């Protein structure tokens, strides 16, 4: 029976906290506006979290696309093209 009383004590509900007077005096309209603002903030943060997770998931692709778009990548393409033309000329000249 002592064990049961101890278990019941753990399940007791804690005392209800008293709100400060400034919060308790808010009107219904103010509370609705505050609740709406809080919902908008939470939804915005959830959207930010989704975007961040997507960014982390696709980090390799993002890095690859950044390398392709960099000025350095643009400089190597003509060099590669010239090298390919030289090789092609060598093959055609050998025939």
């Amino acid at each position: 029976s002592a064990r049961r009383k101890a278990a019941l004590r753990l399940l007791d509900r804690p005392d209800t906290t008293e709100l400060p007077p400034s919060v308790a005096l808010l009107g219904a309209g103010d509370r609705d506006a505050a609740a709406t603002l809080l919902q908008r903030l939470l939804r915005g943060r959830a959207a930010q979290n989704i975007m961040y997770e997507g960014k982390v998931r696709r980090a390799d692709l993002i890095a690859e696309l950044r390398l392709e778009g960099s000025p350095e990548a643009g400089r190597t393409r003509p060099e590669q093209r010239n090298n390919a033309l030289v090789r092609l000329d060598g093959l055609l000249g050998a025939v």
Side-chain angles (χ1 to χ4, degrees), residues 40-95:
R40 287 177 52 208
L41 290 172
L42 290 173
R43 287 182 182 132
R45 186 62 184 165
Q48 283 180 337
N49 288 342
I50 290 169
M51 287 189 289
Y52 179 76
E53 288 170 3
K55 183 181 110 177
V56 168
R57 222 180 6 245
R58 303 289 185 214
D60 293 335
L61 177 61
I62 292 169
E64 182 180 337
L65 291 172
R66 284 185 178 155
L67 285 177
E68 284 183 11
S70 71
E72 294 170 2
R75 281 189 235 140
T76 58
R77 285 185 183 163
E79 292 171 8
Q80 290 173 348
R81 192 175 309 132
N82 289 338
N83 291 339
L85 287 174
V86 167
R87 277 187 258 131
L88 183 60
D89 287 339
L91 288 173
L92 291 176
V95 173

Side-chain angles (χ1 to χ4, degrees), residues 23-36:
V23 176
L25 294 177
L26 285 178
D30 292 336
R31 280 191 214 139
D32 290 343
T36 302

